[in-house]
Amino acid sequence: MTAQPSHMEDNVQKRKRVVQGACVGVLTATMSVSSAWAQAPAPDAWTGTVGAGINLTQGNTDTLNYNLAFDVLHPFSTRNVMKSTGLYLRGTQNDTLSVNRTSLGFRDEITISGRTFFFGKLDYLRDTFKSIDYLVAPGAGLGFKAVDSARTKHTVDAALGAVTEKNPLQDRRTSGAIMLGEKLTHQLTTTASIKHEATALWKTQDLHDALYTISAGISAALSSRAQLSFEVLNVYKNRPPGITKKNDVALITALTTRF
């Protein structure tokens, strides 16, 4: 009778050691995965997202809206990073075109020292309902990482360049350009994040002829490679041609995948 309690205590101690070992193993694996996720992409590695969304209604009003987007990051080295973005929006209401917008962006950043970086960029915009056949704006300038932590990144930048714009029934016009930008991303939880971006472009020949773009969004991870995102995009052109309205707002819902 006296040996039985000792035997039971040994079993209890063994079970405790097994549980403790399993917990340590799970914790170690979790930390390893988190560490791998947090590491910056290796030089010459291509990373990014590709997304698409669609919105369909039928009844008194028939609408069909869809979007395609991509975001590509390619670090040539720890100090030189290339970024490319693209967004295509198209929508119809009762078989009449209501949205038709394409924007592309290319940017090459080179870290000078600490949080300061030099960049060159090229932006392209085509917007039927802003009466923009095309707008091309190359530029170069300096940027600063105001916040650069694991969870929060906030950058501001300024650039000088040129802008060429073509509108329907008008000649192409080229001017110098002043450009400002600001971008914020913040990781709310391990699966959810928010982002905000704002850009401004002024033509030096007429500073009142300006283009402002503001966006804000939230995304939630569905898996390690897929996420659902919601974004509000506001485009404001101070002097649109003809009777075109100055302001356009779009709600973009998309399912994106990482690569």
Side-chain angles (χ1 to χ4, degrees):
M1 297 294 292
T2 57
Q4 186 174 0
S6 176
H7 179 66
M8 293 178 62
E9 290 177 0
D10 291 341
N11 289 337
V12 171
Q13 293 299 323
K14 289 180 180 179
R15 290 176 183 174
K16 286 183 177 181
R17 286 195 292 270
V18 171
V19 172
Q20 291 173 352
C23 291
V24 171
V26 171
L27 180 60
T28 302
T30 303
M31 293 176 64
S32 299
V33 172
S34 300
S35 177
W37 182 264
Q39 288 178 353
D44 293 330
W46 293 85
T47 61
T49 62
V50 177
I54 187 169
N55 180 28
L56 174 66
T57 62
Q58 287 185 327
N60 294 319
T61 301
D62 296 336
T63 62
L64 174 62
N65 299 295
Y66 59 89
N67 64 82
L68 301 172
F70 71 85
D71 187 343
V72 178
L73 177 70
H74 179 55
F76 294 101
S77 67
T78 56
R79 299 173 63 89
N80 186 9
V81 179
M82 183 272 290
K83 302 177 182 179
S84 297
T85 59
L87 175 64
Y88 176 63
L89 300 175
R90 187 177 179 87
T92 59
Q93 183 173 359
N94 295 328
D95 297 326
T96 301
L97 189 65
S98 57
V99 178
N100 187 24
R101 185 176 192 270
T102 303
S103 62
L104 298 170
F106 172 83
R107 185 181 181 103
D108 193 6
E109 294 184 2
I110 300 175
T111 300
I112 299 175
S113 62
R115 297 184 177 184
T116 306
F117 58 89
F118 169 83
F119 69 94
K121 70 172 187 173
L122 176 64
D123 294 324
Y124 169 85
L125 174 64
R126 179 180 181 272
D127 194 330
T128 300
F129 290 89
K130 275 283 184 287
S131 296
I132 299 175
D133 289 339
Y134 62 82
L135 185 150
V136 181
L142 294 175
F144 180 72
K145 299 176 182 178
V147 181
D148 189 19
S149 66
R151 294 185 59 189
T152 306
K153 298 185 183 300
H154 184 209
T155 62
V156 293
D157 60 61
L160 296 176
V163 56
T164 299
E165 182 176 355
K166 175 67 173 68
N167 306 115
L169 305 178
Q170 294 185 15
D171 294 333
R172 182 182 62 185
R173 304 180 309 282
T174 300
S175 169
I178 302 171
M179 312 170 193
L180 296 179
E182 177 255 347
K183 185 174 182 179
L184 169 69
T185 59
H186 177 67
Q187 196 75 28
L188 295 173
T189 66
T190 55
T191 59
S193 62
I194 58 174
K195 66 177 182 178
H196 161 72
E197 187 170 2
T199 62
L201 183 151
W202 295 275
K203 296 181 179 179
T204 56
Q205 290 183 354
D206 182 2
L207 293 178
H208 292 289
D209 191 356
L211 178 66
Y212 306 96
T213 303
I214 302 173
S215 65
I218 185 170
S219 61
L222 303 177
S223 67
S224 59
R225 289 188 175 272
Q227 65 180 14
L228 183 64
S229 63
F230 301 90
E231 183 176 357
V232 177
L233 175 64
N234 188 0
V235 180
Y236 184 92
K237 197 172 193 306
N238 196 40
R239 284 190 175 176
I243 58 174
T244 305
K245 291 184 178 180
K246 296 182 178 182
N247 197 53
D248 284 310
V249 179
L251 175 62
I252 304 169
T253 303
L255 180 64
T256 63
T257 181
R258 300 183 183 184
F259 63 87

